[in-house]
Coordinates of all heavy atoms in Angstrom, one line a residue:
H58 N -20.1 -17.2 7.8 CA -19.2 -18.0 6.9 C -18.3 -17.0 6.1 O -17.2 -17.4 5.8 CB -20.1 -19.0 6.1 CG -19.2 -19.7 5.2 ND1 -18.5 -20.8 5.7 CD2 -18.9 -19.6 3.9 CE1 -17.9 -21.4 4.6 NE2 -18.0 -20.7 3.6
S59 N -18.9 -15.8 5.9 CA -18.0 -14.8 5.1 C -17.4 -13.8 5.9 O -16.8 -12.8 5.4 CB -19.0 -14.1 4.1 OG -19.4 -15.1 3.1
R60 N -17.7 -13.8 7.2 CA -17.0 -12.8 8.1 C -15.6 -13.1 8.3 O -15.0 -14.2 8.5 CB -17.7 -13.0 9.5 CG -17.3 -11.7 10.4 CD -18.0 -11.9 11.7 NE -17.8 -10.7 12.6 CZ -16.9 -10.5 13.5 NH1 -16.1 -11.5 13.7 NH2 -16.9 -9.4 14.1
G61 N -14.8 -12.0 8.1 CA -13.3 -12.1 8.0 C -12.6 -10.8 7.9 O -13.4 -9.7 8.0
L62 N -11.4 -10.8 7.7 CA -10.7 -9.5 7.6 C -11.0 -8.9 6.2 O -11.3 -9.5 5.2 CB -9.1 -9.8 7.6 CG -8.5 -10.3 8.8 CD1 -7.0 -10.7 8.6 CD2 -8.7 -9.3 9.8
A63 N -11.3 -7.5 6.3 CA -11.6 -6.8 5.1 C -10.5 -6.8 4.1 O -9.4 -7.0 4.5 CB -12.0 -5.4 5.5
D64 N -10.8 -6.7 2.8 CA -9.8 -6.7 1.8 C -8.8 -5.6 2.0 O -7.7 -5.7 1.6 CB -10.5 -6.5 0.4 CG -11.2 -7.8 0.0 OD1 -11.2 -8.9 0.8 OD2 -12.0 -7.7 -1.0
S65 N -9.2 -4.5 2.7 CA -8.4 -3.3 2.9 C -7.6 -3.3 4.2 O -7.1 -2.3 4.5 CB -9.2 -2.1 2.6 OG -10.3 -2.0 3.6
D66 N -7.8 -4.3 4.8 CA -7.1 -4.5 6.2 C -5.6 -4.4 6.1 O -4.8 -5.3 5.4 CB -7.5 -5.8 6.9 CG -6.9 -5.9 8.3 OD1 -7.3 -5.0 9.1 OD2 -6.1 -6.7 8.5
H67 N -5.0 -3.3 6.7 CA -3.5 -3.3 6.9 C -3.2 -3.1 8.4 O -3.4 -2.0 8.8 CB -3.0 -2.1 6.2 CG -3.2 -2.2 4.7 ND1 -2.4 -2.9 3.8 CD2 -4.1 -1.6 3.9 CE1 -2.9 -2.9 2.5 NE2 -3.9 -2.0 2.5
P68 N -3.0 -4.2 9.1 CA -2.8 -4.0 10.6 C -1.7 -3.0 11.0 O -1.9 -2.3 12.1 CB -2.4 -5.5 11.0 CG -2.0 -6.0 9.8 CD -2.6 -5.5 8.8
Q69 N -0.7 -2.8 10.2 CA 0.3 -2.0 10.5 C 0.7 -1.0 9.3 O 0.9 -1.5 8.2 CB 1.6 -2.6 11.0 CG 1.4 -3.3 12.3 CD 2.7 -3.9 13.0 OE1 3.5 -3.1 13.6 NE2 3.0 -5.2 12.8
R70 N 0.7 0.3 9.6 CA 1.0 1.2 8.5 C 1.8 2.4 9.1 O 1.3 3.1 10.1 CB -0.3 1.6 7.8 CG 0.0 2.7 6.8 CD -1.4 3.1 6.1 NE -1.2 4.4 5.3 CZ -0.8 4.3 4.0 NH1 -0.4 3.1 3.4 NH2 -0.7 5.5 3.3
F71 N 2.9 2.7 8.5 CA 3.7 3.9 8.9 C 3.9 4.7 7.6 O 4.3 4.2 6.6 CB 5.1 3.4 9.5 CG 6.1 4.6 9.7 CD1 5.8 5.4 10.8 CD2 7.0 4.8 8.6 CE1 6.8 6.5 11.0 CE2 7.9 5.9 8.9 CZ 7.8 6.7 10.1
V72 N 3.7 6.1 7.8 CA 4.1 7.0 6.9 C 4.8 8.2 7.3 O 4.4 8.7 8.3 CB 2.8 7.6 6.2 CG1 3.1 8.7 5.0 CG2 1.8 6.5 5.6
G73 N 6.1 8.3 7.0 CA 6.9 9.4 7.3 C 7.3 10.3 6.3 O 7.6 9.8 5.2
S74 N 7.4 11.6 6.6 CA 7.8 12.5 5.6 C 8.8 13.5 6.2 O 8.9 13.8 7.4 CB 6.6 13.2 5.0 OG 6.0 14.0 6.0
F75 N 9.7 14.2 5.3 CA 10.6 15.2 5.8 C 10.7 16.3 4.8 O 10.5 16.1 3.6 CB 12.0 14.5 6.1 CG 12.7 14.2 4.8 CD1 13.6 15.2 4.2 CD2 12.6 12.9 4.2 CE1 14.2 14.7 3.1 CE2 13.3 12.5 3.1 CZ 14.1 13.5 2.5
V76 N 11.1 17.4 5.3 CA 11.3 18.6 4.3 C 12.7 19.2 4.8 O 12.8 19.4 6.1 CB 10.3 19.7 4.4 CG1 10.6 20.8 3.6 CG2 8.9 19.1 3.9
W77 N 13.6 19.5 4.0 CA 14.8 20.1 4.3 C 15.1 21.1 3.4 O 15.3 21.0 2.2 CB 16.0 19.0 4.2 CG 17.4 19.5 4.7 CD1 17.6 20.5 5.5 CD2 18.7 18.9 4.4 NE1 18.9 20.7 5.8 CE2 19.7 19.7 5.1 CE3 19.0 17.9 3.6 CZ2 21.0 19.4 4.9 CZ3 20.5 17.7 3.5 CH2 21.4 18.4 4.2
E78 N 15.2 22.3 4.0 CA 15.5 23.6 3.1 C 16.9 24.1 3.4 O 17.3 24.4 4.6 CB 14.4 24.7 3.6 CG 13.1 24.3 3.3 CD 12.1 25.5 3.7 OE1 12.5 26.4 4.4 OE2 10.8 25.3 3.4
L79 N 17.7 23.9 2.4 CA 19.1 24.3 2.6 C 19.1 25.8 2.6 O 18.6 26.5 1.7 CB 19.9 23.8 1.4 CG 20.0 22.3 1.3 CD1 20.9 21.8 0.1 CD2 20.6 21.7 2.6
P80 N 19.9 26.5 3.5 CA 20.0 27.9 3.6 C 20.7 28.5 2.5 O 21.5 27.9 1.8 CB 20.7 28.1 4.9 CG 21.6 26.9 5.0 CD 20.8 25.8 4.5
G81 N 20.4 29.8 2.2 CA 21.0 30.5 1.1 C 22.1 31.4 1.6 O 23.3 31.3 1.5
K82 N 21.6 32.5 2.2 CA 22.6 33.6 2.7 C 23.5 33.1 3.8 O 24.4 33.7 4.2 CB 21.6 34.7 3.1 CG 21.0 35.4 2.0 CD 20.2 36.6 2.5 CE 19.3 37.2 1.4 NZ 18.5 38.4 1.7
K83 N 23.1 32.0 4.6 CA 23.8 31.6 5.6 C 25.1 30.8 5.4 O 25.8 30.4 6.2 CB 23.0 30.8 6.7 CG 21.9 31.7 7.3 CD 21.0 30.8 8.2 CE 19.9 31.6 8.8 NZ 19.0 30.8 9.8
L84 N 25.3 30.4 4.1 CA 26.4 29.8 3.7 C 27.7 30.5 3.8 O 27.7 31.7 3.7 CB 26.3 29.0 2.3 CG 25.2 28.0 2.2 CD1 25.1 27.5 0.9 CD2 25.4 26.9 3.1
S85 N 28.8 29.8 3.9 CA 30.2 30.6 4.2 C 30.6 31.4 3.1 O 31.3 32.4 3.4 CB 31.2 29.5 4.6 OG 31.4 28.7 3.5
S86 N 30.2 31.2 1.9 CA 30.7 32.0 0.7 C 29.7 32.3 -0.3 O 28.6 31.5 -0.3 CB 31.8 31.4 0.2 OG 31.5 30.2 -0.5
N87 N 29.7 33.2 -1.1 CA 28.8 33.5 -2.2 C 28.8 32.4 -3.1 O 27.8 32.1 -3.8 CB 29.1 34.9 -2.9 CG 28.9 36.0 -1.9 OD1 28.1 36.0 -1.0 ND2 29.5 37.0 -2.2
A88 N 29.9 31.8 -3.4 CA 30.0 30.7 -4.4 C 29.1 29.6 -3.9 O 28.6 29.0 -4.7 CB 31.5 30.2 -4.7
L89 N 29.4 29.1 -2.7 CA 28.6 28.0 -2.1 C 27.2 28.3 -2.0 O 26.3 27.5 -2.2 CB 29.1 27.7 -0.7 CG 30.4 27.0 -0.5 CD1 30.8 26.8 0.9 CD2 30.4 25.6 -1.3
S90 N 26.8 29.5 -1.7 CA 25.5 30.0 -1.8 C 24.7 29.9 -3.0 O 23.6 29.5 -3.2 CB 25.3 31.4 -1.1 OG 24.0 31.8 -1.1
A91 N 25.6 30.3 -4.1 CA 25.0 30.1 -5.4 C 24.7 28.7 -5.9 O 23.8 28.4 -6.7 CB 25.8 30.9 -6.4
V92 N 25.6 27.8 -5.5 CA 25.5 26.5 -6.0 C 24.6 25.6 -5.1 O 23.7 24.9 -5.6 CB 26.9 25.8 -6.0 CG1 26.8 24.4 -6.4 CG2 27.8 26.6 -6.9
L93 N 24.8 25.7 -3.8 CA 24.1 24.9 -2.8 C 22.9 25.5 -2.1 O 22.1 24.8 -1.6 CB 25.1 24.4 -1.8 CG 26.3 23.6 -2.3 CD1 27.3 23.1 -1.1 CD2 25.9 22.4 -3.1
G94 N 22.8 26.7 -2.1 CA 21.8 27.5 -1.3 C 20.4 27.4 -1.9 O 20.2 27.2 -3.2
N95 N 19.4 27.5 -1.1 CA 18.0 27.7 -1.6 C 17.4 26.4 -2.3 O 16.3 26.5 -2.9 CB 17.8 28.9 -2.5 CG 18.2 30.1 -1.9 OD1 17.8 30.5 -0.7 ND2 19.0 31.0 -2.6
W96 N 18.1 25.3 -2.0 CA 17.4 24.1 -2.6 C 16.5 23.5 -1.4 O 16.7 23.7 -0.3 CB 18.5 23.0 -2.7 CG 19.3 23.2 -4.0 CD1 20.4 23.9 -4.2 CD2 19.1 22.7 -5.4 NE1 21.0 23.9 -5.4 CE2 20.0 23.3 -6.2 CE3 18.0 22.0 -5.9 CZ2 20.2 22.9 -7.5 CZ3 18.1 21.8 -7.2 CH2 19.1 22.3 -8.1
Q97 N 15.5 22.8 -1.8 CA 14.7 22.0 -0.9 C 14.5 20.7 -1.3 O 14.3 20.3 -2.5 CB 13.2 22.8 -0.9 CG 12.2 22.2 0.1 CD 10.9 22.8 0.0 OE1 10.1 22.2 -0.9 NE2 10.5 23.6 0.8
M98 N 14.6 19.8 -0.3 CA 14.5 18.4 -0.5 C 13.4 17.8 0.4 O 13.3 18.2 1.6 CB 15.9 17.6 -0.1 CG 15.9 16.1 -0.3 SD 17.3 15.3 0.2 CE 18.6 16.2 -1.0
S99 N 12.6 17.1 -0.1 CA 11.5 16.4 0.6 C 11.3 14.9 0.3 O 11.6 14.5 -0.9 CB 10.2 17.3 0.4 OG 9.8 17.2 -1.0
G100 N 10.8 14.2 1.1 CA 10.5 12.8 0.8 C 9.5 12.1 1.7 O 8.9 12.7 2.7
I101 N 9.0 11.1 1.1 CA 7.8 10.2 1.8 C 8.3 8.8 1.9 O 8.5 8.2 0.7 CB 6.5 10.4 1.1 CG1 6.1 11.9 1.2 CG2 5.4 9.6 1.8 CD1 4.8 12.1 0.4
V102 N 8.1 8.2 3.0 CA 8.4 6.8 3.1 C 7.1 6.1 3.7 O 6.5 6.6 4.6 CB 9.5 6.6 4.2 CG1 9.8 5.0 4.4 CG2 10.9 7.2 3.8
T103 N 6.8 5.1 3.0 CA 5.5 4.3 3.3 C 5.8 2.9 3.6 O 6.5 2.2 2.8 CB 4.4 4.5 2.3 OG1 4.2 5.8 2.0 CG2 3.1 3.7 2.6
L104 N 5.5 2.4 4.8 CA 5.6 0.9 5.1 C 4.2 0.5 5.5 O 3.6 1.1 6.5 CB 6.7 0.8 6.1 CG 8.1 1.6 5.9 CD1 9.0 1.5 7.3 CD2 8.9 0.9 4.8
Q105 N 3.9 -0.7 5.1 CA 2.6 -1.3 5.5 C 2.5 -2.7 5.3 O 3.1 -3.4 4.4 CB 1.4 -0.5 4.9 CG 1.1 -0.8 3.4 CD 0.1 -0.1 2.8 OE1 -0.4 0.9 3.3 NE2 -0.5 -0.6 1.7
S106 N 1.6 -3.3 6.1 CA 1.4 -4.8 6.0 C 0.6 -5.1 4.8 O 0.0 -4.2 4.3 CB 0.6 -5.3 7.1 OG 1.2 -4.9 8.4
G107 N 0.9 -6.3 4.3 CA 0.1 -6.7 3.0 C -1.4 -6.8 3.2 O -1.9 -6.9 4.4
R108 N -2.2 -7.0 2.0 CA -3.5 -7.2 2.1 C -4.0 -8.7 2.4 O -3.2 -9.4 1.8 CB -4.2 -6.6 1.0 CG -4.1 -5.2 0.8 CD -4.8 -4.6 -0.4 NE -4.4 -5.1 -1.6 CZ -5.0 -6.0 -2.5 NH1 -6.1 -6.5 -2.2 NH2 -4.3 -6.3 -3.6
P109 N -5.0 -9.0 3.0 CA -5.4 -10.4 3.1 C -6.0 -10.9 1.9 O -6.5 -10.2 1.0 CB -6.4 -10.3 4.3 CG -7.0 -9.0 4.3 CD -5.8 -8.1 3.9
F110 N -6.0 -12.2 1.7 CA -6.7 -12.8 0.5 C -7.1 -14.2 0.9 O -6.8 -14.7 1.9 CB -5.7 -13.0 -0.7 CG -4.6 -13.9 -0.4 CD1 -4.6 -15.2 -0.8 CD2 -3.4 -13.4 0.2 CE1 -3.5 -16.0 -0.6 CE2 -2.2 -14.2 0.4 CZ -2.4 -15.5 0.0
S111 N -8.1 -14.7 0.1 CA -8.8 -15.9 0.3 C -8.2 -17.0 -0.6 O -7.8 -16.7 -1.7 CB -10.2 -15.8 0.1 OG -10.9 -14.9 0.9
V112 N -8.2 -18.2 -0.3 CA -7.8 -19.5 -1.2 C -9.1 -19.9 -1.6 O -10.0 -20.4 -0.8 CB -7.0 -20.4 -0.4 CG1 -6.6 -21.5 -1.3 CG2 -5.7 -19.8 0.2
L113 N -9.4 -20.0 -2.9 CA -10.6 -20.4 -3.5 C -10.5 -21.7 -4.2 O -9.6 -22.2 -4.8 CB -11.2 -19.3 -4.3 CG -11.3 -17.9 -3.9 CD1 -11.6 -17.0 -5.0 CD2 -12.4 -17.9 -2.8

Side-chain angles (χ1 to χ4, degrees):
H58 183 74
S59 297
R60 189 176 188 270
L62 295 174
D64 293 351
S65 59
D66 178 66
H67 299 281
Q69 298 191 70
R70 175 177 169 84
F71 170 80
V72 179
S74 62
F75 72 91
V76 176
W77 186 21
E78 297 180 354
L79 297 178
K82 297 179 180 180
K83 294 182 181 180
L84 294 178
S85 58
S86 68
N87 291 335
L89 286 176
S90 179
V92 176
L93 301 178
N95 298 315
W96 287 92
Q97 183 184 82
M98 181 183 297
S99 60
I101 299 177
V102 177
T103 303
L104 307 171
Q105 69 180 22
S106 306
R108 295 184 294 111
F110 65 92
S111 304
V112 182
L113 303 174

